[in-house]
Amino acid sequence: MKKQINKINFIYILSFLGDALFSPFLALYFSSLDINESKKGLLLALIPLATLIGSLIYGKFSNKMKRNLLIIRILVIMQLIAMSIMGFITSYYLIAVFVVIFALHNNTFFSFQDGIAVKITNKENKIYANTRLFGTLGYFIGSVVGGKLIDLTSFGIVFLIAGIIYAIVELMFFLIKPFEEDENEEDKEKITFKNVLSNRQYIFYLMFYILVLGTWHIEEAYVSIMFKNNGLTTSMWGYVYAFQILIEMGVIYLVNKFLKDKHKHHLILMVAICAIILRSVVLSLSLGLWIQVILVSSLRGVAWGLFLSSHMETIKSILPKDLITKAILIFAISSNIFVTIGNYLAPYIYQKITFNGMFLVLLIIQIIGASIYLITFNIKYLRKKK
């Protein structure tokens, strides 16, 4: 049972490396298909919808470590099947089927993997963040080499390599052994959605999350397509994606090192919101390709790093500890529904008013969402002062 930490660290490098050879390039792969824009939008809309369904289905079967390891092996197999085959088929409807298979299992896999990693790190008195860093390293490597490999070979070959890496991940999970867990980890009382939604401040934060983070994810789905249409190659997109991850890592490190006062999370979140909005402003402008790429990528890394550093602390300040899990599920359900609709409608919008016009529409929605957060936060702050 000793030294499982080394195995899970290696798994993290491989799983994130394999995903980095696949997920960041999906939108570009759809863009390369000989299909109309509305069908590409439908493929992108299927991803958040299937992700939501997968999380709800597999979440019901989640239990102790032994069962979770069995589920995670199923999740890995389904992903590697989709990864290995998708790049070699030409039928639009078959591609849609494999997109759904992948999305049903991908996000859920990472949730289960995190759960297992947390148990192992706790058991061996290690820090989970160090294990997560191995995953970030894998994603950085995959982003750097993925685009170049696609330009040298094809989407199908690189997606197949991702599938082979996941086959190794599958074998590695057989080396992870479950250990006995405390029997008293059962829920003391049934927590319902109503308990969470009765908190008025959470409702306002949820509205902010849907409008600001939902539009953020829609932008993430289409920004690579806009850059490709403006002349960015697939290999250059891989380098750009890796650059974003580096900035994100640096921001998280700096926040954790120099801003240890947890009461500053609202300030950090407000700076993140400003960076998100500024990124949308840049996307809505007609600038030179590389000026826009550098500005958008830098702001993306800063914004996401700051958001990840402050989001959970903000939720903790709003809700009691026992309601947080349900609150996160509500975030996932509501934002995935919003992103599904947005991803589907986006091609109709940018074909009518250009990509810049579409990003301007998303910017307006973000400003509305940001205003909701700023107003409710200031009201709370003034009440505390009184």
Side-chain angles (χ1 to χ4, degrees):
M1 216 63 66
K2 286 269 185 184
K3 299 302 178 188
Q4 298 223 80
I5 190 69
N6 296 329
K7 297 171 189 173
I8 198 68
N9 288 346
F10 186 57
I11 287 172
Y12 260 67
I13 290 179
L14 289 179
S15 63
F16 279 83
L17 171 61
D19 191 71
L21 293 175
F22 189 82
S23 295
F25 302 102
L26 263 182
L28 292 178
Y29 169 61
F30 298 154
S31 181
S32 72
L33 299 173
D34 187 21
I35 55 176
N36 61 44
E37 296 297 313
S38 60
K39 285 186 175 179
K40 293 171 188 175
L42 180 58
L43 289 175
L44 287 168
L46 287 173
I47 295 173
L49 181 62
T51 295
L52 169 62
I53 295 168
S55 298
L56 292 174
I57 292 172
Y58 284 102
K60 288 186 176 295
F61 296 104
S62 174
N63 201 295
K64 294 193 175 180
M65 191 173 177
K66 188 173 183 179
R67 182 188 288 184
N68 289 353
L69 279 169
L70 175 61
I71 293 172
I72 210 168
R73 290 168 197 151
I74 296 169
L75 297 171
V76 173
I77 288 172
M78 299 307 292
Q79 285 183 95
L80 75 86
I81 290 171
M83 288 171 164
S84 302
I85 295 173
M86 194 187 299
F88 295 104
I89 52 181
T90 55
S91 166
Y92 169 76
Y93 297 103
L94 266 180
I95 290 171
V97 168
F98 282 106
V99 166
V100 170
I101 291 171
F102 172 76
L104 277 170
H105 301 89
N106 177 253
N107 190 67
T108 309
F109 160 73
F110 283 105
S111 297
F112 272 76
Q113 180 175 253
D114 284 345
I116 289 169
V118 167
K119 289 181 186 294
I120 291 172
T121 52
N122 287 345
K123 189 78 172 177
E124 300 192 17
N125 294 318
K126 303 293 181 181
I127 300 171
Y128 165 75
N130 292 338
T131 294
R132 182 60 180 79
L133 198 59
F134 282 94
T136 305
L137 174 64
Y139 219 93
F140 174 74
I141 295 168
S143 301
V144 169
V145 303
K148 189 65 177 175
L149 281 175
I150 289 169
D151 278 346
L152 292 173
T153 57
S154 67
F155 283 101
I157 295 295
V158 175
F159 290 175
L160 176 60
I161 293 170
I164 292 169
I165 291 171
Y166 264 67
I168 301 171
V169 171
E170 175 72 9
L171 295 175
M172 286 297 301
F173 267 111
F174 279 96
L175 301 179
I176 300 293
K177 304 299 179 186
F179 43 75
E180 290 299 317
E181 298 173 83
D182 293 336
E183 295 295 330
N184 57 2
E185 287 185 358
E186 298 175 10
D187 291 333
K188 293 175 185 173
E189 59 178 309
K190 191 74 174 171
I191 304 294
T192 66
F193 288 132
K194 188 178 178 182
N195 298 126
V196 181
L197 295 173
S198 62
N199 185 307
R200 188 188 304 171
Q201 196 179 359
Y202 175 78
I203 294 291
F204 285 119
Y205 191 74
L206 178 63
M207 291 166 64
F208 148 77
Y209 187 93
I210 294 169
L211 296 177
V212 175
L213 273 297
T215 50
W216 166 279
H217 288 300
I218 296 167
E219 288 179 352
E220 288 285 278
Y222 284 96
V223 68
S224 61
I225 297 176
M226 184 185 79
F227 286 155
K228 182 187 176 184
N229 289 353
N230 291 339
L232 193 75
T233 64
T234 307
S235 57
M236 289 310 302
W237 172 246
Y239 301 147
V240 167
Y241 205 89
F243 173 65
Q244 293 176 163
I245 293 171
L246 270 183
I247 294 178
E248 178 188 314
M249 286 171 58
V251 168
I252 293 171
Y253 172 79
L254 290 172
V255 169
N256 290 339
K257 187 168 181 64
F258 297 109
L259 285 172
K260 293 181 180 178
D261 184 357
K262 291 186 178 180
H263 297 294
K264 299 223 169 137
H265 57 268
H266 284 296
L267 176 61
I268 297 168
L269 184 58
M270 282 194 276
V271 178
I273 293 168
C274 291
I276 288 170
I277 289 173
L278 190 54
R279 177 178 183 261
S280 298
V281 170
V282 175
L283 283 169
S284 67
L285 299 174
S286 297
L287 302 172
L289 174 62
W290 281 107
I291 293 174
Q292 194 168 44
V293 166
I294 291 168
L295 287 174
V296 167
S297 302
S298 301
L299 287 166
R300 193 269 186 199
V302 170
W304 197 238
L306 291 172
F307 179 78
L308 291 177
S309 301
S310 56
H311 172 57
M312 283 305 299
E313 292 301 325
T314 303
I315 298 173
K316 288 178 189 176
S317 72
I318 295 171
L319 293 169
K321 200 165 49 174
D322 57 342
L323 297 181
I324 288 175
T325 302
K326 272 285 190 290
I328 292 170
L329 183 57
I330 294 170
F331 283 136
I333 292 170
S334 52
S335 64
N336 275 312
I337 291 171
F338 181 85
V339 175
T340 298
I341 296 168
N343 280 356
Y344 178 71
L345 293 177
Y348 296 98
I349 297 171
Y350 69 67
Q351 285 182 98
K352 292 280 186 186
I353 59 173
T354 74
F355 274 106
N356 299 119
M358 181 188 76
F359 288 125
L360 179 60
V361 172
L362 296 176
L363 169 63
I364 293 167
I365 297 171
Q366 284 178 351
I367 291 171
I368 295 169
S371 300
I372 292 171
Y373 176 77
L374 291 172
I375 291 167
T376 53
F377 169 69
N378 284 321
I379 290 172
K380 183 185 177 186
Y381 177 75
L382 289 171
R383 280 178 181 166
K384 274 189 175 179
K385 254 195 150 184
K386 284 181 182 178

